[in-house]
Amino acid sequence: MNSTQNIFTTLPETLHQSLNTYLEKHPDWDERRLITAAISLFLLQNADGDHRVSQVYLETLFRRG
């Protein structure tokens, strides 16, 4: 991934709790990695198929640590 941008947002409490539960069970993931994977997957499924989005998704999914 070349550069990053910060996003500040509010989440529904249920979603935030689920996020924290997942992260507790998967210590090799962090909040930034999970949200990056989720956004890139959404764009892969719903946008014009930019290959750079595919690259971000795969790099995020298979990154260790």
Side-chain angles (χ1 to χ4, degrees), residues 18-50:
S18 294
L19 173 70
N20 285 334
T21 299
Y22 181 87
L23 294 175
E24 288 172 7
K25 293 178 181 178
H26 299 88
D28 54 326
W29 283 79
D30 60 24
E31 191 173 279
R32 188 185 84 194
R33 182 179 175 198
L34 192 140
I35 291 172
T36 300
I39 292 170
S40 58
L41 178 59
F42 175 85
L43 291 172
L44 280 173
Q45 294 173 339
N46 298 290
D48 293 330
D50 186 336

Side-chain angles (χ1 to χ4, degrees), residues 42-58:
F42 175 85
L43 291 172
L44 280 173
Q45 294 173 339
N46 298 290
D48 293 330
D50 186 336
H51 76 279
R52 295 172 298 174
V53 173
S54 299
Q55 182 178 354
V56 169
Y57 177 69
L58 292 172

Side-chain angles (χ1 to χ4, degrees), residues 6-26:
N6 289 322
I7 296 176
F8 298 99
T9 188
T10 57
L11 297 173
E13 183 64 26
T14 301
L15 187 59
H16 188 258
Q17 289 172 350
S18 294
L19 173 70
N20 285 334
T21 299
Y22 181 87
L23 294 175
E24 288 172 7
K25 293 178 181 178
H26 299 88

